[in-house]
């Protein structure tokens, strides 16, 4: 047993790891990114998944993350202006907000609607913008079931509520739900473009390698496979 722990410690020491503070909408994509990155480098990626607002607050208080994959640019820009990070924030993907329904229910017919917390989660903020710009907010605001981040909202939409406003990227691990019977692409002109930003928090070799991998052809292809657009 001691030999096994020694080998494990030696492996981590040799190849290191990257701790990535990850917005909820990237929960599935980060697994694929981590898998392919490990194949190329033998460096392990450890995602810590929460809402962008909560992760930003943790980073500001000194949480030992290496990169921050936010669901928008607001939080990375805020941190960088505060002197956190070693490179200006950069857009790694543009997200898509969808309306999801297990049973094909329309927005107005939903009894309970899952959304991400608009105070801390960019997809939640985009949801409120969309509803207000569609003149629907006053009609459905009392039906919200609020998740701490977009991944929680998606779980509620599957298990608790009739429907929800979620990130399209979260559907791609559920082939039985990833079809037009269950979701509607929403008019992106009715909410602020969800430009998702990455903040590099240090210049460790492992951090730089994963940062560069995100913008490589392979990294961009993975994001595309999960429903994002890349610039």
């Amino acid at each position: 047993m001691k030999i096994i722990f020694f080998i494990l410690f030696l492996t981590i020491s040799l190849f290191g790891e990257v701790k990535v503070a990850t917005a909820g909408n990237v929960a599935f994509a980060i697994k694929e990114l981590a898998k392919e990155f490990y194949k190329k480098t033998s460096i392990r990626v450890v995602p810590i998944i929460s809402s962008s607002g909560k992760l930003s607050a943790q980073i500001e208080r000194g949480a030992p993350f290496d990169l921050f994959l936010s669901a928008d640019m607001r939080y990375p820009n805020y941190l960088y202006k505060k002197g956190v990070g070693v490179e200006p924030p950069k857009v790694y993907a543009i997200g898509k907000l969808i309306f999801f329904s297990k049973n094909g229910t329309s927005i107005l017919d939903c009894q309970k609607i899952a959304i991400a917390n608009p105070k801390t989660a960019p997809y939640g903020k985009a949801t409120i913008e969309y509803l207000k710009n569609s003149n629907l907010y006053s009609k459905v605001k009392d039906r919200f079931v609020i998740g701490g981040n977009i991944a929680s909202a998606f779980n509620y939409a599957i298990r608790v509520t009739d429907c929800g406003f979620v990130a399209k990227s979260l559907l791609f691990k559920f082939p039985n739900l990833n079809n037009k019977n269950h979701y509607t692409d929403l008019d992106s002109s009715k909410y602020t473009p969800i430009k998702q930003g990455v903040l590099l928090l240090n210049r460790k070799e492992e951090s730089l390698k994963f940062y560069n991998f995100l913008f490589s052809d392979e990294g961009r292809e993975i994001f595309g496979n999960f429903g994002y657009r890349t610039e």
Side-chain angles (χ1 to χ4, degrees):
M1 183 64 71
K2 289 182 179 180
I3 294 174
I4 292 173
F5 280 119
F6 175 74
I7 293 172
L8 178 62
F9 173 78
L10 184 61
T11 301
I12 294 173
S13 298
L14 286 173
F15 298 108
E17 65 179 23
V18 185
K19 293 181 180 177
V20 183
T22 306
N25 76 90
V26 198
F28 297 130
I30 191 69
K31 293 179 181 178
E32 188 68 19
L33 289 162
K35 182 177 76 172
E36 296 306 315
F37 182 69
Y38 184 80
K39 287 180 183 178
K40 294 173 71 71
T41 65
S42 296
I43 297 170
R44 192 164 65 104
V45 173
V46 181
I48 298 87
I49 297 169
S50 186
S51 71
S52 297
K54 289 181 179 179
L55 291 169
S56 178
Q58 291 173 24
I59 291 167
E60 189 174 8
R61 292 195 298 267
F65 301 131
D66 299 308
L67 281 87
F68 176 30
L69 292 181
S70 176
D72 66 0
M73 288 293 287
R74 177 173 54 131
Y75 291 112
N77 282 333
Y78 167 80
L79 290 170
Y80 190 70
K81 288 177 181 177
K82 287 280 189 176
V84 179
V86 296
E87 293 285 345
K90 188 175 178 181
V91 175
Y92 64 89
I94 299 173
K96 178 69 177 176
L97 182 69
I98 62 170
F99 174 72
F100 171 82
S101 171
K102 294 191 295 287
N103 304 312
T105 309
S106 69
I107 295 173
L108 291 177
D109 288 333
C110 287
Q111 298 302 306
K112 295 180 180 179
I113 302 173
I115 71 168
N117 188 338
K119 294 180 180 179
T120 58
Y123 278 83
K125 181 174 180 286
T127 297
I128 301 302
E129 286 183 356
Y130 174 82
L131 290 170
K132 287 183 175 179
N133 289 329
S134 301
N135 298 315
L136 293 170
Y137 179 74
S138 62
K139 299 173 184 177
V140 300
K141 65 179 180 178
D142 296 327
R143 308 180 197 177
F144 294 157
V145 176
I146 297 176
N149 59 41
I150 197 63
S152 296
F154 184 58
N155 285 333
Y156 288 159
I158 293 176
R159 298 182 174 88
V160 179
T161 68
D162 306 300
C163 54
F165 289 86
V166 302
K168 191 171 186 178
S169 59
L170 295 175
L171 289 178
F172 283 78
K173 284 293 183 179
F174 298 91
N176 60 317
L177 299 177
N178 187 15
N179 63 67
K180 285 295 184 177
N181 294 324
H182 295 291
Y183 77 88
T184 303
D185 287 305
L186 301 177
D187 183 351
S188 59
S189 70
K190 292 185 177 181
Y191 60 89
T192 303
I194 306 173
K195 293 184 176 183
Q196 305 197 183
V198 57
L199 182 62
L200 181 64
L201 298 171
N202 58 56
R203 294 193 184 280
K204 286 167 46 180
E205 182 180 355
E206 296 88 352
S207 306
L208 286 166
K209 283 184 177 180
F210 187 63
Y211 179 82
N212 290 329
F213 178 73
L214 295 176
F215 298 98
S216 67
D217 290 343
E218 188 172 0
R220 289 175 185 274
E221 182 179 358
I222 291 170
F223 281 120
N225 290 341
F226 281 86
Y228 297 99
R229 288 193 296 115
T230 56
E231 293 186 330

